[in-house]
Amino acid sequence: MDLKLFGAVFVTLLVIVDPPGMLPIFLALTGPLPARDRNRAAWQAVALALGVIVVFAVAGQTLLAYLHVSLPALQAAGGLLLVLVALELLTGKADEPSQQSTSNVALVPLGTPLLAGPGAIVATMLFVQRAGAFTDYLAIALAIMGVMATVWVALRFSGVIVKILRPGGIEVLTRIAGLLLAAIAVQLIADAVAAFVTQYVTTH
């Protein structure tokens, strides 16, 4: 197995997924939920993210070409989705457990587009394109699983932070997470617009 490729994929995806940066958002979305539901949301989010990344790694180019969807369009869509979630966090609409479904929170926005976002998808697709031998694909697969395992561990033990912060701290964290999420969303959309402009200038 190519350990250098394994290291490159692992570090790249870990930086993109950013487990420490995910924690405030995860806690903001799942803080009011019971510990059991929060743990379930953690593994559901990681499982979905792993599935999405694997699907795009195997058939991403074909799928996007068939749907006539460009990568910047995918990026912009992810940004718009995050804007909606950020607004809910900032206005306090995500605070009431009665309005939340564990599965919904785990799938959107945690699983995708936060964990399996445009950045992680594009990076994985590029690594797969460069791979040649079976050992290269094995290194990429193990690196992806390693990153997802790291994320799961971080989310799984986030309950310790919940106990320390208590409800008041979680509420403050929710507002901060909303602001961070809004900034991430705006950056995604800005990058997508820049890519669209670059494509237009290049083709005309």
Side-chain angles (χ1 to χ4, degrees), residues 39-77:
N39 293 338
R40 190 166 76 225
W43 75 256
Q44 284 179 340
V46 170
L48 175 69
L50 180 61
V52 169
I53 288 175
V54 168
V55 167
F56 274 95
V58 174
Q61 292 284 10
T62 307
L63 185 63
L64 292 179
Y66 177 76
L67 295 173
H68 303 291
V69 174
S70 65
L71 288 174
L74 187 68
Q75 197 167 356

Side-chain angles (χ1 to χ4, degrees), residues 16 18 28 32 38 40 55 59 78 86 90 99 105 118 120 122 126 156 162 165 171 175 177 179 181 193 199:
I16 292 172
D18 187 20
R38 188 166 57 249
R40 190 166 76 225
V55 167
L90 287 168
Q99 293 185 354
V105 166
V122 172
L126 289 176
R156 173 66 178 79
V162 172
L165 291 177
E171 188 174 343
R175 302 298 181 266
L179 187 61
L181 205 55
V193 170
Q199 282 183 359

Side-chain angles (χ1 to χ4, degrees), residues 63-97:
L63 185 63
L64 292 179
Y66 177 76
L67 295 173
H68 303 291
V69 174
S70 65
L71 288 174
L74 187 68
Q75 197 167 356
L80 290 172
L81 189 59
L82 289 184
V83 166
L84 296 176
V85 179
L87 288 174
E88 282 192 0
L89 292 176
L90 287 168
T91 56
K93 289 183 180 178
D95 288 348
E96 297 180 26

Side-chain angles (χ1 to χ4, degrees), residues 145-171:
M145 291 176 69
V147 169
M148 289 299 130
T150 304
V151 172
W152 179 80
V153 169
L155 299 184
R156 173 66 178 79
F157 293 101
S158 61
V160 178
I161 302 173
V162 172
K163 289 177 183 176
I164 295 171
L165 291 177
R166 301 188 181 277
I170 291 291
E171 188 174 343

Side-chain angles (χ1 to χ4, degrees), residues 1-3 5-7 9-10 127-128 131-146:
M1 189 180 76
D2 188 345
L3 292 178
L5 177 61
F6 172 85
V9 177
F10 183 85
F127 279 119
V128 170
F134 170 76
T135 51
D136 291 343
Y137 293 113
L138 180 63
I140 293 170
L142 289 176
I144 293 170
M145 291 176 69

